[in-house]
Amino acid sequence: RTDGQAVTYRRLEGELSRSGMAWVATDKLAVLARMKDAEGKDVLHFLRTDGTIVASQTLPLPEHEHGDENMGELAIAPDGAHMVLAYGKDVFFMNRDGSVRRHWRGDEEQLMAQPKFAPNSKRIAMKLLKEEEDSYRRVTAIVFFTPAGEEVSRTVVPKTNLALIRPASPSTQPAEQDPNGPE
């Protein structure tokens, strides 16, 4: 928070996720952290915009994969009733109280990323990433779920050859040619 002159800084306990933040209300933010104790529990810290910690909630998650590069991605429904935590191959569809409704686990090649709730809180969209033989990991589909974790549909993202795609131009008019030709 800043007024242009001063900034509010708050150090939180635990190792924070870079993409595990979501607004809970206009003045309250949820931040996902992994505690550095032996158990390594995941915790949601709730803060007001003035830096005051409102609450911290330990999440009773089953065993799941996570590493230094995969600290979890958080989405909270606009109506506040549900949330989703994505740890790549492990996705947790949860009630707001932290209870797990469904644990989705992808196979070795699938990763789910960037959960986003629809404005009406009835659907969640996530990117499905897959490692391909001749390519790097890429988005292969957008998958839609209910808050309970049931897959509703998926839209395939076709593979494209980026070398064949022309950049967009601000004008559809051809560039004027120099009457003297190229230099």
Side-chain angles (χ1 to χ4, degrees):
R1 179 177 182 175
T2 182
D3 61 4
Q5 299 296 314
V7 175
T8 302
Y9 175 81
R10 178 72 177 194
R11 183 181 298 271
L12 295 174
E13 190 176 337
E15 188 176 345
L16 302 180
S17 170
R18 283 168 271 184
S19 55
M21 291 185 272
W23 288 104
V24 179
T26 57
D27 67 339
K28 195 173 6 171
L29 181 68
V31 179
L32 181 64
R34 180 163 310 113
M35 302 314 285
K36 293 185 180 183
D37 60 8
E39 294 181 34
K41 294 286 185 185
D42 293 327
V43 172
L44 273 182
H45 297 293
F46 296 92
L47 298 97
R48 287 195 182 98
T49 54
D50 66 1
T52 306
I53 294 178
V54 177
S56 293
Q57 176 182 355
T58 301
L59 301 173
L61 300 176
E63 190 65 31
H64 59 281
E65 284 187 34
H66 50 71
D68 294 337
E69 75 287 343
N70 192 8
M71 286 289 298
E73 299 179 38
L74 173 67
I76 296 178
D79 68 6
H82 306 284
M83 58 185 167
V84 174
L85 287 174
Y87 292 92
K89 296 174 187 152
D90 290 289
V91 179
F92 298 98
F93 298 88
M94 307 168 72
N95 292 321
R96 176 59 187 82
D97 65 3
S99 59
V100 177
R101 296 185 74 179
R102 179 159 187 239
H103 176 191
W104 180 92
R105 187 172 201 35
D107 64 29
E108 290 300 314
E109 296 181 354
Q110 294 183 347
L111 296 171
M112 291 297 235
Q114 298 175 331
K116 300 289 181 228
F117 274 89
N120 67 4
S121 302
K122 295 184 187 277
R123 297 283 183 261
I124 302 129
M126 297 177 75
K127 293 178 183 177
L128 177 66
L129 291 89
K130 192 170 186 177
E131 192 80 32
E132 295 191 340
E133 292 176 20
D134 61 338
S135 179
Y136 52 91
R137 185 181 305 159
R138 73 173 194 89
V139 176
T140 59
I142 304 297
V143 185
F144 299 89
F145 292 94
T146 66
E150 300 300 321
E151 184 175 328
V152 177
S153 65
R154 62 177 60 201
T155 301
V156 174
V157 176
K159 188 173 184 178
T160 57
N161 183 345
L162 296 178
L164 299 177
I165 297 175
R166 291 179 29 182
S169 66
S171 170
T172 57
Q173 300 294 323
E176 288 187 29
Q177 302 251 339
D178 183 354
N180 299 324
E183 293 180 23

